[in-house]
Amino acid sequence: MPKKLFIRTYGCQMNVYDSARMADVLAPLGYAPAASPEEADMVIVNTCHIRERASEKTFSELGRLRDIKEEKDGKVILAVAGCVAQAEGAEIMARAPFVDIVLGPQTYHRLPEMVARAERGAAVAKVGWKAQPGLGILDTEFPIESKFDHLPAPDTVHGVTAFLAIQEGCDKFCTFCVVPYTRGAEFSRPADKILEEARRLVALGARELTLLGQNVNAYHGEGPDGSTWTLAKLSYALADIPGLERIRYTTSHPRDMGDDLIAAHGALPQLMPFLHLPVQSGSDRILQMMNRQHTGDDYRRIVDKLKAVRPDLALSSDFIVGFPGESDVDFAATMRLVRDITFPQAFSFKYSPRPGTPASLSDHQLPEELKDARLAELNDLLRAQNAAFNRESVGRVLPVLFERPGKHDGQMMGRSPYLQPVHVQGGLDLVGSIRMVRIDREHAYSLTGSFYDESAEASSLSSPQPRVTA
Ligand code: SAH
Ligand code: SF4
Ligand code: F3S
């Protein structure tokens, strides 16, 4: 009988990618996807350590899984993967002895071997599975070999968009952040491996690729010619792949926004005019304490340069409010930067002290109420900017990449260059195609539109000229 695997994923897009690759790695062992943990023979919890609340989810999820394991007399393999596993592997083993495998983000190519060992261990521990000290497997090494060299090529693409990891890890050490500790040092995959995977994903049906990395624009992989390639250089090569219509990348750092990458945004229509470029704060004092190594004005200059080559470019960002020592003046500087630049989309967080990070040791931690108040104020502004952007989209003509049927009969859902969901009346044959759509209405979380026929528009001079975005 085929075995079934359920993966619960928390955290960033890199974790979503990793979960898919763990499923790929286990497929040859006979594991097929399960719809719920209850019907699975193996459950992986892929965890996130970025903020306290994210981390806590691991242990509450493990509590639920223990009950399921109990109901099944222990006949399910439980694995904890990802960034909490990396940071607190030993603690998980101690606090949750019913967990069979704990593995970090850099060792999941070794999963088949760990699962084989766990399967043997589970057989031994059939009676009284709760007490199996020493049977648990912990692998949170940062191995010399790269997991990417040991992973099978992806063999399915769900839908028309796919993730592709090109870079991993971080050497920036922002003082609030755990990622350099959980993901390790910066590593860039060789360009030919990336191009090969991209061609494969396109052959499997992907029309849009999102290149992933914790510091994706710090990419400096080896090119086929032996030279070091930047993200710009890689983007040009990817843009040559027939059928690859859209390229996005995330998450980028302002310091690595090189001039060649900025120029690529002007030269490559495949590079979407929507960029996630986290600024975190608008106060130079706080940016310095965060060790971001750029100022608010540096960020403004980068945005100006990007908009000079791609005027329709829009930005998204992450913000942290309530960083230790953040004054009213500092917070006002963040609000000012948001007003100046405008972000159609953004993620904002209350500062969360993380174990092992320098900022968590500061004596100037702010009270929760103050962080709450600042977060609410910032969110009001960001919500208003998001609503304004969607409102201003009405009347525009945008290219929409169709993904799947919409909620209503006869409706298809696609995305604008700005990732806005757009609904249009149409059939399944639209999936995977890009069509020009005139946006007619905005709704709470989406837009509706109708196909825009350029020739018809040209002949009716009396109709108002819509703004067309290529
Ligand atoms: N590599 C990316 C971000 C990784 S984490 C970058 O450099 O921007 C995603 C976001 O989580 C960060 O941008 C930051 O806004 C937030 N974050 C990270 N650590 C945090 C902490 N300790 N408290 C609150 N938010 C945090
Ligand atoms: Fe964390 Fe900073 Fe690295 Fe981003 S750049 S992953 S915020 S340390
Ligand atoms: Fe979380 Fe690790 Fe991603 S801490 S945000 S899952 S890199």
Side-chain angles (χ1 to χ4, degrees):
M1 218 176 69
K3 293 174 282 189
K4 290 205 153 180
L5 168 69
F6 183 83
I7 308 183
R8 172 92 67 210
T9 307
Y10 298 103
C12 59
Q13 287 151 326
M14 187 69 94
N15 258 15
V16 175
Y17 177 85
D18 287 350
S19 289
R21 306 319 309 277
M22 285 192 273
D24 290 344
V25 140
L26 291 175
L29 270 69
Y31 283 96
S36 71
E38 282 81 3
E39 63 177 56
D41 303 284
M42 174 168 180
V43 178
I44 303 176
V45 187
N46 198 5
T47 60
C48 174
H49 196 51
I50 202 79
R51 286 167 291 273
E52 194 180 354
R53 194 152 348 137
S55 228
E56 276 168 359
K57 285 185 190 150
T58 306
F59 287 98
S60 48
E61 177 74 15
L62 285 179
R64 280 192 295 274
L65 291 172
R66 185 188 47 197
D67 296 343
I68 294 176
K69 187 159 178 168
E70 209 153 332
E71 274 161 31
K72 294 183 157 197
D73 292 331
K75 283 189 214 112
V76 50
I77 296 175
L78 262 185
V80 184
C83 292
V84 180
Q86 187 65 45
E88 296 178 358
E91 194 189 335
I92 294 170
M93 303 293 272
R95 264 177 76 180
F98 50 92
V99 169
D100 303 282
I101 298 170
V102 174
L103 74 158
Q106 303 309 338
T107 56
Y108 58 78
H109 56 296
R110 297 178 182 166
L111 249 180
E113 183 197 324
M114 294 183 225
V115 171
R117 274 169 62 201
E119 280 172 346
R120 283 199 298 276
V124 175
K126 233 178 195 160
V127 200
W129 58 271
K130 272 180 247 181
Q132 42 172 298
L135 279 177
I137 298 157
L138 173 70
D139 191 348
T140 50
E141 245 196 281
F142 288 113
I144 307 284
E145 85 272 13
S146 161
K147 66 182 172 203
F148 291 112
D149 294 339
H150 297 266
L151 292 172
D155 59 5
T156 41
V157 165
H158 302 283
V160 299
T161 65
F163 290 141
L164 202 177
I166 66 164
Q167 181 278 344
E168 198 173 349
C170 180
D171 297 338
K172 297 275 192 302
F173 291 93
C174 300
T175 56
F176 52 81
C177 184
V178 293
V179 170
Y181 312 99
T182 62
R183 292 276 168 171
E186 253 177 53
F187 167 80
S188 297
R189 294 177 70 188
D192 55 357
K193 291 275 164 49
I194 295 168
L195 292 167
E196 194 184 302
E197 191 168 323
R199 280 188 211 101
R200 191 175 168 92
L201 292 168
V202 171
L204 289 166
R207 292 291 161 266
E208 170 178 301
L209 292 181
T210 301
L211 312 177
L212 296 181
Q214 266 87 34
N215 253 290
V216 74
N217 56 342
Y219 178 80
H220 57 280
E222 191 190 332
D225 50 359
S227 71
T228 300
W229 278 26
T230 59
L231 180 56
K233 190 128 192 219
L234 182 67
S235 301
Y236 284 99
L238 286 164
D240 280 340
I241 297 178
L244 178 52
E245 310 282 355
R246 290 181 165 186
I247 303 170
R248 302 177 187 276
Y249 57 89
T250 195
T251 298
S252 39
H253 192 292
R255 275 192 62 205
D256 296 312
M257 213 63 223
D259 284 339
D260 63 340
L261 185 55
I262 293 175
H265 275 276
L268 291 176
Q270 289 92 336
L271 268 184
M272 286 294 97
F274 188 48
L275 181 62
H276 185 60
L277 188 64
V279 64
Q280 313 296 355
S281 167
S283 154
D284 289 348
R285 207 177 65 90
I286 295 297
L287 286 168
Q288 189 173 14
M289 288 198 282
M290 287 175 163
N291 189 33
R292 290 291 290 183
Q293 303 194 34
H294 63 81
T295 62
D297 279 348
D298 292 336
Y299 189 85
R300 286 178 166 86
R301 269 191 294 274
I302 293 166
V303 172
D304 287 346
K305 282 198 217 168
L306 280 162
K307 289 198 172 170
V309 296
R310 190 79 214 232
D312 59 344
L313 184 120
L315 288 136
S316 136
S317 175
D318 296 340
F319 296 95
I320 295 179
V321 299
F323 185 82
E326 186 188 65
S327 68
D328 287 340
V329 175
D330 294 319
F331 178 62
T334 299
M335 294 293 282
R336 198 162 50 242
L337 182 133
V338 174
R339 273 191 211 97
D340 291 349
I341 301 213
T342 71
F343 295 91
Q345 200 196 68
F347 304 91
S348 40
F349 309 103
K350 279 193 291 182
Y351 170 72
S352 168
R354 306 306 293 133
T357 59
S360 69
L361 304 173
S362 164
D363 294 332
H364 305 287
Q365 305 293 333
L366 299 190
E368 250 356 80
E369 307 79 66
L370 186 58
K371 293 192 213 174
D372 285 331
R374 286 183 184 163
L375 185 66
E377 200 180 325
L378 175 60
N379 277 343
D380 281 347
L381 177 59
L382 291 170
R383 252 194 305 273
Q385 293 190 345
N386 172 265
F389 186 78
N390 286 339
R391 209 165 42 241
E392 285 157 16
S393 300
V394 175
R396 279 180 88 171
V397 174
L398 297 170
V400 171
L401 170 58
F402 285 92
E403 294 186 1
R404 55 182 161 78
K407 250 190 259 149
H408 301 293
D409 259 3
Q411 216 180 39
M412 296 299 292
M413 196 283 293
R415 288 190 190 269
S416 77
Y418 308 101
L419 291 174
Q420 297 154 296
V422 181
H423 291 98
V424 182
Q425 289 302 117
L428 273 175
D429 54 316
L430 286 169
V431 172
S433 68
I434 295 180
R435 299 278 297 272
M436 297 307 282
V437 172
R438 183 214 299 263
I439 307 302
D440 298 325
R441 286 187 61 189
E442 48 135 351
H443 309 271
Y445 301 104
S446 65
L447 304 168
T448 44
S450 41
F451 291 116
Y452 174 67
D453 182 348
E454 277 170 66
S455 51
E457 202 66 45
S459 61
S460 79
L461 288 171
S462 57
S463 64
Q465 280 301 304
R467 288 161 290 151
V468 180
T469 303

